């Protein structure tokens, strides 16, 4: 007689969703720390790259704190497109 196995569709898997603000804060702090370490090693290009990543999470936290609307913080310059020349 063949053994019956339980169907995986009956199994309920529960996962807790991470909070976006906590993840953004954690990632922001992580990238700032990585930038600091690269700057101390003398690799300013890598440090700038990490700071740009950190800025992304800073903007995410700002947008979430202001009702999820996508806004440009007043103290950050708007990106310029094209060549100046």
């Amino acid at each position: 007689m063949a053994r019956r196995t339980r169907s995986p569709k009956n199994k309920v898997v529960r996962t807790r969703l991470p909070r976006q603000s906590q993840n953004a804060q954690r990632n922001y702090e992580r990238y700032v720390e990585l930038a600091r370490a690269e700057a101390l090693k003398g690799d300013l290009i890598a440090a700038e790259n990490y700071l740009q990543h950190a800025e992304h999470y800073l903007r995410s936290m700002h947008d979430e704190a202001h009702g999820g609307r996508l806004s440009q913080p007043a103290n950050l310059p708007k990106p310029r497109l094209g060549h100046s020349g």
Side-chain angles (χ1 to χ4, degrees):
M1 180 186 252
R3 292 180 70 181
R4 297 179 97 195
T5 59
R6 289 189 180 193
S7 173
K9 65 182 176 184
N10 292 334
K11 187 175 182 180
V12 176
V13 177
R14 296 179 189 207
T15 58
R16 282 191 344 189
L17 297 175
R19 293 184 180 170
Q20 285 183 343
S21 61
Q22 289 178 350
N23 287 337
Q25 177 71 31
R26 203 172 332 160
N27 287 333
Y28 170 77
E29 292 170 358
R30 184 181 80 183
Y31 281 115
V32 167
E33 201 53 44
L34 287 169
R36 187 174 293 126
E38 290 298 328
L40 289 174
K41 288 194 299 188
D43 191 345
L44 299 181
I45 294 173
E48 177 65 24
N49 183 27
Y50 285 131
L51 286 174
Q52 289 176 4
H53 282 78
E55 182 184 12
H56 164 75
Y57 289 105
L58 183 64
R59 288 174 187 255
S60 296
M61 290 184 295
H62 177 268
D63 290 342
E64 187 175 317
H66 292 86
R69 62 175 201 257
L70 298 173
S71 61
Q72 181 82 21
N75 60 348
L76 296 175
K78 290 185 178 182
R80 293 171 48 165
L81 301 175
H83 298 285
S84 59

